[in-house]
Amino acid sequence: MDEFLAPRRFLAVGRRRGVPARVVSVAAALLVVFALVAPADLERFTVGAFLRVPVEGLLGVVLVLVVPGRARWVVAGVGGAALGLVVVLKVLDIGFDLVLYRPFDPVLDWPLFEPAVDFVSVTAGSVAAGAAVVGAVLVAVGVVVLCVVAVLRLSRIVVRRRLVATRVVAVVAVGWISLALPGVPVASNSAAAFVYEHARQVRAGLHDREAFAESASVDAFRDVPGERLLTSLRGKDVVVVFVESYGRAAVDDAGVARVLDDGTRRLAAAGFGARSAFLTSSTAGGGSWLAHATLLSGLYVDNQQRYRTLVSSDRMTLSAAFERAGWRTVGVMPGITRAWPEGAFFGYDCVYPADRLGYRGPRFGYATTPDQFTLAAFERLERGPGRERGPGRERGRPVMATIPLVTSHAPWGPLPRLVPWESLGDGSVFGSMASGEVAPDAIFSRDPRQVRADYGRSVEYSVETLVSYVEHYGDEELVLVFLGDHQPAQVVTGAGASRDVPITVVARDPGVVARVAGWGWSEGLRPGEAAPVWPMESFRDRFLGAF
């Protein structure tokens, strides 16, 4: 009897052992199919997107069947690694689209990971930043290894079941063709199209340096002598302020709109006129320095390669034009916490990084310095009656300043409150407020409604600070230009948002306001729906031409 039952026991054990193997094989097949058909955009993650037959998978089966001997395993291994890299690239595309409104550029975008790590380090700590980097690398390597293992396993099954695999491919191909004729979408070549588009992107990236150099060679103001530049602003202190993440989305926010309208009334009561419109930024969601370079240089700077090419050139920036025309030019940079050699390119006589502003209060989220303190430091150092004259400061020489404010930087909280300007001191007054020593959760792990509310409040603070600054320190000599650098992340704007940012010119001198009257901009601090929308890179030449 035992001898009779032995074969059955053997078959039962074999079946039990075969179950895990089948599960692994099915998992491998699902992984490969997912990698091939998964979209590189979260908006297209639908059930229908995955109910497709990947053409690349069928071709892979055919390739395994026709390639002889050991070569097939080399082909399978290389194909698996390539598939893993496609998955990693799709994840990068999704991440970049969520933050920067565009896919990842394999040639030009690698430098952007450094500021991303810096952001995590500031908001969550250096340990978290290090862990994030190590984790990302391990996940990327793990995905590639898993795809290689999955493709090799499926290839062995195809070779062992050659006849079955051939019949399956034939049946699927016939079904695909039959359904394609009446227009039923059952096949997918999204992976091939994805690789093709990124290959085109790589080619464009490799040629981008030459294209940028060609556009940079054209400059209508390159040889204009200083005495002919900015003649209508002689004696004026011109302050260009970038408000972090101040985009069209902020103008559509009820709270920000209320602050802008209230600011318009208050400044009008103080004798100031204002005109506003929109500029289309070269970036979105991040990369503030690219927008700064675009506005000041009059060139479209949307990647780090262009930025590096620009700052090593002799292009005349807007600040350099003021310097040529006799202004003292300064950069007040609360976001700069390390050496910044680019300051010389932009034409600044003096740069004030975060550690030269004299701030002794707490951090608020990402911001090194509350916007109010940054503006007060500028007054103290360069413009106010009791100013501490910077190196080379001459009496009576007007100042042109570029000031990127940082309080409205993600993750948008916690926020400081406005205090009386006379009470600022060294910033210790902010110590009594809930500060950003412990940063809020990352924006993508919070309720989107809460993130949008926090974003709106941060921009309200920055705009309210600027209005209060003009009320407190504004005079006949002040000309303020303030604008956004880019739109916030898509968690705030939603999908399909533009790259438009508001821009406003404020002055008490009616002659200055009259100079921009022909631009057709809206009156007040809030641009209307019909306000013009200019490319950000066009502003330098329009401004120099007007004044």
Side-chain angles (χ1 to χ4, degrees):
M1 181 66 69
D2 290 342
E3 292 177 358
F4 178 77
L5 293 175
R8 293 189 177 184
R9 291 197 190 101
F10 177 79
L11 290 174
V13 171
R15 283 194 294 270
R16 287 197 296 271
R17 290 177 178 175
V19 170
R22 292 190 185 96
V23 171
V24 172
S25 298
V26 170
L30 291 175
L31 173 61
V32 171
V33 171
F34 177 86
L36 289 172
V37 303
D41 183 347
L42 284 182
E43 294 176 31
R44 293 188 287 127
F45 262 73
T46 62
V47 174
F50 293 93
L51 297 179
R52 304 288 182 90
V53 177
V55 176
E56 302 88 353
L58 297 180
L59 294 177
V61 172
V62 173
L63 193 61
V64 168
L65 290 172
V66 299
V67 174
R70 295 182 178 179
R72 78 163 52 95
W73 307 119
V74 175
V75 170
V78 172
L83 186 63
L85 292 176
V86 166
V87 174
V88 172
L89 193 54
K90 285 183 177 182
V91 172
L92 287 172
D93 272 8
I94 290 171
F96 269 65
D97 181 62
L98 285 173
V99 178
L100 301 179
Y101 305 8
R102 62 174 178 80
F104 172 71
D105 190 313
V107 174
L108 303 175
D109 281 343
W110 295 105
L112 295 181
F113 287 102
E114 181 180 356
V117 173
D118 287 343
F119 174 75
V120 176
S121 179
V122 169
T123 57
S126 56
V127 173
V133 172
V134 172
V137 172
L138 290 177
V139 168
V141 172
V143 166
V144 174
V145 170
L146 279 176
C147 286
V148 171
V149 171
V151 171
L152 287 173
R153 184 177 187 86
L154 294 177
S155 298
R156 285 194 293 270
I157 294 173
V158 167
V159 171
R160 288 202 305 266
R161 304 286 190 272
R162 180 181 294 270
L163 182 59
V164 174
T166 302
R167 289 174 175 173
V168 169
V169 170
V171 170
V172 172
V174 170
W176 160 35
I177 294 172
S178 301
L179 292 173
L181 292 176
V184 180
V186 295
S188 166
N189 64 344
S190 61
F194 175 81
V195 172
Y196 175 72
E197 285 302 319
H198 275 281
R200 290 181 56 191
Q201 191 178 35
V202 167
R203 181 181 180 185
L206 293 174
H207 291 87
D208 185 68
R209 188 188 300 273
E210 293 79 10
F212 182 68
E214 183 178 349
S215 62
S217 65
V218 179
D219 187 354
F221 292 91
R222 182 195 305 274
D223 300 319
V224 177
E227 62 270 17
R228 291 177 53 197
L229 285 170
L230 301 159
T231 54
S232 299
L233 289 173
R234 297 292 181 189
K236 304 295 185 185
D237 289 334
V238 180
V239 184
V240 177
V241 174
F242 290 92
V243 179
E244 172 66 35
S245 300
Y246 177 42
R248 186 184 279 266
V251 177
D252 295 335
D253 179 88
V256 176
R258 184 171 56 253
V259 170
L260 289 169
D261 290 342
D262 180 63
T264 298
R265 289 188 291 270
R266 288 162 53 187
L267 293 185
F272 287 89
R275 295 291 186 275
S276 300
F278 292 101
L279 302 179
T280 301
S281 178
S282 61
T283 185
S288 303
W289 64 95
L290 304 178
H292 303 168
T294 295
L295 183 108
L296 295 173
S297 72
L299 295 170
Y300 187 77
V301 183
D302 65 334
N303 61 64
Q304 194 67 9
Q305 178 174 276
R306 288 191 167 209
Y307 181 81
R308 289 173 176 170
T309 301
L310 173 67
V311 299
S312 62
S313 72
D314 61 353
R315 176 78 175 187
M316 185 185 74
T317 62
L318 185 60
S319 44
F322 275 94
E323 182 187 36
R324 184 187 297 183
W327 270 258
R328 171 173 168 79
T329 54
V330 300
V332 182
M333 304 289 173
I336 299 296
T337 57
R338 62 183 68 178
W340 192 58
E342 297 95 315
F345 161 76
F346 285 105
Y348 298 128
D349 294 318
C350 183
V351 173
Y352 296 99
D355 61 3
R356 289 192 61 191
L357 298 181
Y359 183 63
R360 299 293 180 268
R363 292 188 76 135
F364 289 86
Y366 179 83
T368 55
T369 310
D371 293 347
Q372 186 182 14
F373 189 92
T374 298
L375 295 172
F378 163 62
E379 284 292 318
R380 166 171 47 83
L381 293 166
E382 286 289 339
R383 190 170 179 272
R387 61 180 173 263
E388 303 165 11
R389 296 184 182 277
R393 174 83 185 189
E394 300 173 8
R395 287 187 180 277
R397 189 182 178 194
V399 63
M400 183 272 178
T402 303
I403 309 177
L405 300 179
V406 291
T407 297
S408 52
H409 195 291
W412 303 308
L415 295 173
R417 298 187 305 275
L418 277 174
V419 300
W421 292 88
E422 302 80 11
S423 304
L424 282 171
D426 64 357
S428 300
V429 65
F430 293 103
S432 61
M433 304 178 192
S435 75
E437 300 298 340
V438 178
D441 294 334
I443 58 175
F444 294 110
S445 64
R446 284 147 59 196
D447 186 329
R449 291 172 296 182
Q450 184 61 50
V451 173
R452 286 190 286 270
D454 292 341
Y455 164 74
R457 282 192 289 270
S458 72
V459 175
E460 288 178 37
Y461 165 82
S462 295
V463 173
E464 174 68 25
T465 298
L466 283 168
V467 172
S468 180
Y469 167 76
V470 175
E471 288 180 315
H472 193 78
Y473 293 109
D475 53 25
E476 291 289 337
E477 283 69 47
L478 177 65
V479 176
L480 172 66
V481 180
F482 74 91
L483 69 151
D485 48 11
H486 54 71
Q487 285 261 55
Q490 284 197 49
V491 67
V492 174
T493 64
S498 73
R499 293 190 173 192
D500 297 347
V501 298
I503 181 169
T504 299
V505 175
V506 178
R508 179 178 282 171
D509 185 342
V512 173
V513 179
R515 285 276 171 175
V516 302
W519 291 351
W521 289 16
S522 303
E523 290 191 24
L525 304 183
R526 180 157 64 106
E529 287 295 325
V533 181
W534 296 351
M536 185 175 280
E537 64 271 20
S538 71
F539 180 78
R540 187 205 72 156
D541 287 6
R542 287 179 181 264
F543 188 87
L544 292 174
F547 290 102

